[in-house]
Amino acid sequence: MYYQDFNRLKATLLNNIASCFYKEGFIDQADKFNDKALMEDPDYARAHYRKCTILEDRGEYEQAI
């Protein structure tokens, strides 16, 4: 139980870092940190949402869907 909570906490931190980079316009850095968040917790919905917005900004609509 604690291991899953710790992974979710790390995923949340990494996703927040990705969010900061995304809002500043550093899409590549945001994607890098978002991928790390997804590796920590593949079920984290916010990280999946951010991945879709990153792909959308890159013009990769097929992958975003």
Side-chain angles (χ1 to χ4, degrees), residues 3-61:
Y3 185 71
Q4 288 175 335
D5 291 339
F6 184 66
N7 282 346
R8 175 55 61 98
L9 186 61
K10 285 195 301 185
T12 303
L13 173 66
L14 290 166
N15 192 39
N16 287 342
I17 293 170
S19 176
C20 292
F21 277 121
Y22 180 78
K23 289 182 180 187
E24 291 295 319
F26 299 110
I27 303 299
D28 292 333
Q29 290 286 22
D31 191 33
K32 180 177 130 182
F33 279 97
N34 192 65
D35 286 344
K36 288 180 183 182
L38 285 170
M39 283 193 293
E40 290 296 329
D41 188 359
D43 296 329
Y44 190 38
R46 286 187 177 189
H48 284 287
Y49 174 77
R50 180 141 351 270
K51 182 69 172 182
C52 289
T53 57
I54 289 169
L55 290 171
E56 184 181 21
D57 280 356
R58 286 184 171 170
E60 300 174 14
Y61 302 110

